[in-house]
mmCIF file of all heavy atoms in Angstrom:
data_model
loop_
_atom_site.group_PDB
_atom_site.id
_atom_site.type_symbol
_atom_site.label_atom_id
_atom_site.label_comp_id
_atom_site.label_asym_id
_atom_site.label_seq_id
_atom_site.Cartn_x
_atom_site.Cartn_y
_atom_site.Cartn_z
ATOM 1 N N LYS S 36 9.131 25.473 -27.099
ATOM 2 C CA LYS S 36 10.511 25.784 -27.456
ATOM 3 C C LYS S 36 10.641 27.107 -28.199
ATOM 4 O O LYS S 36 11.522 27.909 -27.921
ATOM 5 C CB LYS S 36 11.084 24.657 -28.339
ATOM 6 C CG LYS S 36 11.621 23.475 -27.582
ATOM 7 C CD LYS S 36 12.328 22.562 -28.569
ATOM 8 C CE LYS S 36 13.042 21.430 -27.857
ATOM 9 N NZ LYS S 36 13.786 20.583 -28.827
ATOM 10 N N TYR S 37 9.774 27.314 -29.180
ATOM 11 C CA TYR S 37 9.881 28.504 -30.009
ATOM 12 C C TYR S 37 8.578 28.731 -30.767
ATOM 13 O O TYR S 37 7.686 27.876 -30.768
ATOM 14 C CB TYR S 37 11.056 28.391 -31.002
ATOM 15 C CG TYR S 37 11.017 27.153 -31.868
ATOM 16 C CD1 TYR S 37 10.333 27.143 -33.083
ATOM 17 C CD2 TYR S 37 11.666 25.992 -31.466
ATOM 18 C CE1 TYR S 37 10.302 26.006 -33.872
ATOM 19 C CE2 TYR S 37 11.639 24.845 -32.245
ATOM 20 C CZ TYR S 37 10.957 24.868 -33.457
ATOM 21 O OH TYR S 37 10.910 23.729 -34.223
ATOM 22 N N ILE S 38 8.485 29.874 -31.422
ATOM 23 C CA ILE S 38 7.317 30.223 -32.219
ATOM 24 C C ILE S 38 7.710 30.241 -33.690
ATOM 25 O O ILE S 38 8.741 30.812 -34.062
ATOM 26 C CB ILE S 38 6.760 31.601 -31.802
ATOM 27 C CG1 ILE S 38 6.187 31.526 -30.383
ATOM 28 C CG2 ILE S 38 5.684 32.087 -32.780
ATOM 29 C CD1 ILE S 38 5.765 32.861 -29.817
ATOM 30 N N ILE S 39 6.916 29.589 -34.519
ATOM 31 C CA ILE S 39 7.161 29.553 -35.963
ATOM 32 C C ILE S 39 6.425 30.724 -36.619
ATOM 33 O O ILE S 39 5.195 30.816 -36.541
ATOM 34 C CB ILE S 39 6.698 28.221 -36.572
ATOM 35 C CG1 ILE S 39 7.453 27.052 -35.931
ATOM 36 C CG2 ILE S 39 6.896 28.224 -38.083
ATOM 37 C CD1 ILE S 39 6.945 25.687 -36.359
ATOM 38 N N ILE S 40 7.170 31.592 -37.268
ATOM 39 C CA ILE S 40 6.604 32.784 -37.906
ATOM 40 C C ILE S 40 6.365 32.501 -39.385
ATOM 41 O O ILE S 40 7.295 32.098 -40.091
ATOM 42 C CB ILE S 40 7.548 33.985 -37.767
ATOM 43 C CG1 ILE S 40 7.876 34.253 -36.295
ATOM 44 C CG2 ILE S 40 6.953 35.227 -38.421
ATOM 45 C CD1 ILE S 40 8.966 35.282 -36.098
ATOM 46 N N PRO S 41 5.156 32.710 -39.895
ATOM 47 C CA PRO S 41 4.905 32.486 -41.322
ATOM 48 C C PRO S 41 5.638 33.524 -42.170
ATOM 49 O O PRO S 41 5.733 34.694 -41.787
ATOM 50 C CB PRO S 41 3.388 32.642 -41.452
ATOM 51 C CG PRO S 41 3.013 33.555 -40.324
ATOM 52 C CD PRO S 41 3.952 33.206 -39.192
ATOM 53 N N THR S 42 6.177 33.107 -43.292
ATOM 54 C CA THR S 42 6.829 34.049 -44.205
ATOM 55 C C THR S 42 5.902 34.453 -45.348
ATOM 56 O O THR S 42 6.214 35.361 -46.104
ATOM 57 C CB THR S 42 8.120 33.442 -44.781
ATOM 58 O OG1 THR S 42 7.835 32.132 -45.290
ATOM 59 C CG2 THR S 42 9.179 33.318 -43.695
ATOM 60 N N TYR S 43 4.771 33.762 -45.466
ATOM 61 C CA TYR S 43 3.741 34.119 -46.443
ATOM 62 C C TYR S 43 2.421 34.311 -45.700
ATOM 63 O O TYR S 43 2.119 33.576 -44.767
ATOM 64 C CB TYR S 43 3.571 33.026 -47.503
ATOM 65 C CG TYR S 43 4.759 32.849 -48.416
ATOM 66 C CD1 TYR S 43 5.795 31.987 -48.072
ATOM 67 C CD2 TYR S 43 4.841 33.543 -49.616
ATOM 68 C CE1 TYR S 43 6.889 31.828 -48.897
ATOM 69 C CE2 TYR S 43 5.924 33.392 -50.453
ATOM 70 C CZ TYR S 43 6.951 32.528 -50.091
ATOM 71 O OH TYR S 43 8.043 32.374 -50.914
ATOM 72 N N SER S 44 1.636 35.289 -46.115
ATOM 73 C CA SER S 44 0.313 35.502 -45.525
ATOM 74 C C SER S 44 -0.584 36.131 -46.573
ATOM 75 O O SER S 44 -0.477 37.325 -46.879
ATOM 76 C CB SER S 44 0.399 36.410 -44.289
ATOM 77 O OG SER S 44 -0.896 36.664 -43.776
ATOM 78 N N SER S 45 -1.472 35.322 -47.145
ATOM 79 C CA SER S 45 -2.363 35.816 -48.196
ATOM 80 C C SER S 45 -3.334 36.868 -47.674
ATOM 81 O O SER S 45 -3.839 37.689 -48.446
ATOM 82 C CB SER S 45 -3.139 34.651 -48.816
ATOM 83 O OG SER S 45 -3.907 33.974 -47.822
ATOM 84 N N GLU S 46 -3.597 36.857 -46.364
ATOM 85 C CA GLU S 46 -4.505 37.857 -45.806
ATOM 86 C C GLU S 46 -3.846 39.235 -45.722
ATOM 87 O O GLU S 46 -4.531 40.256 -45.672
ATOM 88 C CB GLU S 46 -4.970 37.434 -44.403
ATOM 89 C CG GLU S 46 -5.911 36.247 -44.399
ATOM 90 C CD GLU S 46 -6.620 36.086 -43.062
ATOM 91 O OE1 GLU S 46 -6.819 37.104 -42.380
ATOM 92 O OE2 GLU S 46 -6.967 34.938 -42.711
ATOM 93 N N ILE S 47 -2.522 39.250 -45.698
ATOM 94 C CA ILE S 47 -1.795 40.515 -45.602
ATOM 95 C C ILE S 47 -1.399 41.035 -46.977
ATOM 96 O O ILE S 47 -1.556 42.218 -47.297
ATOM 97 C CB ILE S 47 -0.539 40.369 -44.727
ATOM 98 C CG1 ILE S 47 -0.914 39.812 -43.341
ATOM 99 C CG2 ILE S 47 0.191 41.692 -44.593
ATOM 100 C CD1 ILE S 47 -1.878 40.674 -42.570
#
Side-chain angles (χ1 to χ4, degrees):
K36 276 188 173 183
Y37 54 88
I38 293 173
I39 300 173
I40 304 171
T42 50
Y43 293 88
S44 177
S45 59
E46 290 195 29
I47 305 300

